[in-house]
Amino acid sequence: MNKELMEALDILEKEKEISKETLFEAIENSLMTACKNHFGKADNVHVEINRETCDFLVYAEKEVVPTKDDVEDDCLQIALEDAQEISKKAQVGDMLHVEIKSKEFGRIATQNAKNVILQKIREEERSVIYNQYYEKEKDVVTGVVQRYVGKNISINLGKADAMLTENEQVKGEVFKPTERIKVYIVEVKNTPKGPRINVSRTHPELVKRLFESEVTEIKDGTVEIKSIAREAGSRTKIAVWSNNPNVDAVGACVGMNGARVNAIVEELRGEKIDIVNWDENPGNLIQNALSPAKIVAVFADPDEKTAKVVVPDYQLSLAIGKEGQNARLAARLTGYKIDIKSETQAKDAPGFRYEDYVDDYEDETEDDFDGEQE
């Protein structure tokens, strides 16, 4: 039994997660390569490895010819005299298995065989890492900050390094080496040098995945995240819906004394998070999305995906938000183009008064009534 080879394969399987079968195939290929380099050809060479004991046998199939003078190719033929030393039953015309001793291989052939095995191990290692992280694509992982590469940050994810590019960084966030951070895996590409992993701290899905890991009701499907709008580093609005009437969707996400949402805010370095109830009614949804501002009226057009919103005079700046952020996030969250006016402004603005819609409704009713009389 080849104990040393067996131990080496066990270590590789455990540390690199490369299957033994793949390693056996690599050894077989390397021995074939060594034969080709040593003899010039290996078409009639066979390699057999016992998977249980790791004992291997390399042999060439040679045709038995009457005399040494009849041997035209040493690699393919063997004289009867030499054949009978291997097997007394050998006869002219038989195909004989002639063992090849690996010790006969030259230094160059041996080195090439070694390179074949090492190359296969490297390829498989890269493949294993790629598959492992490809499964985590569109998910959140924890990484350790290694160093700044220009304006990009190299992050160690365990078995592979990822690059947090400048575009995917939140403005104002500064990390120190060895610091642990959570990142969202945007894409995993397979390259000749191994997997290239692109990660993000600005992606809206990062917040979504953090809620999924923090809120058990979201993980088990009781609460759904219907929509999310984010301006990384500043504010995120998230609309949630409960499939169970006995479970408060917003309350589940906030947690006891805000414990759940605070853990996410801490991970996002103080980014503000607004959690609102999702509603199938566009008017109610827009009203929820514009919180914390109070709303007087919402006139939503589902076909045009537009909405006119009236707010109290003193609430106008709150509804629009700093630099228009609240209104912008609400529009992104709901998918509606939102136009906000105060009560004073709305008095003289078409489309912002109940009368505009009541008159239209009455006209339609009158037309229907006239049609019936005719």
Side-chain angles (χ1 to χ4, degrees), residues 26 46 62 90 99 147 185 222 251 261 277 293 298 339 355 357:
H46 300 273
K62 295 186 179 182
E99 187 178 353
R147 64 189 179 280
I185 297 181
T222 306
V261 74
N277 280 309
V298 177
D339 190 2
E355 305 89 80
Y357 300 93

Side-chain angles (χ1 to χ4, degrees), residues 219-239:
K219 195 182 292 181
D220 64 23
T222 306
V223 173
E224 281 182 60
I225 296 173
K226 288 284 193 177
S227 181
I228 188 163
R230 184 183 185 205
E231 290 192 0
S234 179
R235 191 177 216 99
T236 291
K237 279 185 183 284
I238 186 168

